[in-house]
């Protein structure tokens, strides 16, 4: 009888451990599901952020190219302006000399 009682106790103990293990497995499965959902959400956020970063980099490189072109245009205009000023000064001096010559005659 004592042996049978001990077997019953062992069975009850094993059943308790099995129930606890199943409960822990269920709890871990729910936790894994929640973490998988959270991970999927974070992946989606990462993809969105990567897309925004890519767009920003494209815009930035486009802006840098626009700035480079604008600087080249400005340099060309400054050069043309300097040439025009020089030509205007030369024409003005020529006109002054011609007026002085005409005044002498």
């Amino acid at each position: 009888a004592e042996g049978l009682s001990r077997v019953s106790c062992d069975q009850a103990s094993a059943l308790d451990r099995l129930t606890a293990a199943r409960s822990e497995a269920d709890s871990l499965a729910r936790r894994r599901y929640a973490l998988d959902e959270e991970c999927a959400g974070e992946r989606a956020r990462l993809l969105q952020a990567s897309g925004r970063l890519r767009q920003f980099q494209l815009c930035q490189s486009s802006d840098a190219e626009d700035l480079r072109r604008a600087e080249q245009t400005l340099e060309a205009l400054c050069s043309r302006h300097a040439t025009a000023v020089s030509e205007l000064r030369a024409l003005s001096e020529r006109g002054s000399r011609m007026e002085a010559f005409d005044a002498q005659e």
Side-chain angles (χ1 to χ4, degrees):
E2 189 177 312
L4 189 58
S5 174
R6 182 174 172 155
V7 169
S8 289
C9 272
D10 288 346
Q11 281 182 337
S13 178
L15 186 58
D16 288 344
R17 286 193 307 271
L18 180 59
T19 301
R22 283 183 181 157
S23 177
E24 186 177 352
D26 288 344
S27 176
L28 290 172
R30 284 191 302 275
R31 179 73 177 134
R32 180 180 177 177
Y33 178 80
L35 288 173
D36 285 345
E37 290 293 310
E38 186 177 341
C39 186
E42 290 299 316
R43 277 193 198 118
R45 287 182 53 212
L46 176 62
L47 284 174
Q48 289 174 347
S50 294
R52 286 192 306 269
L53 178 60
R54 212 171 302 117
Q55 185 63 34
F56 175 74
Q57 289 170 334
L58 288 173
C59 288
Q60 203 173 31
S61 66
S62 176
D63 289 347
E65 181 64 24
D66 290 347
L67 179 60
R68 187 185 64 74
R69 272 190 251 126
E71 287 172 341
Q72 288 176 340
T73 301
L74 181 60
E75 287 174 13
L77 289 173
C78 286
S79 176
R80 286 174 54 194
H81 177 264
T83 300
V85 166
S86 180
E87 289 174 358
L88 185 58
R89 198 172 286 136
L91 288 172
S92 178
E93 289 172 4
R94 184 175 169 196
S96 294
R97 282 194 306 269
M98 289 177 84
E99 285 178 4
F101 181 73
D102 287 343
Q104 287 178 354
E105 289 184 354

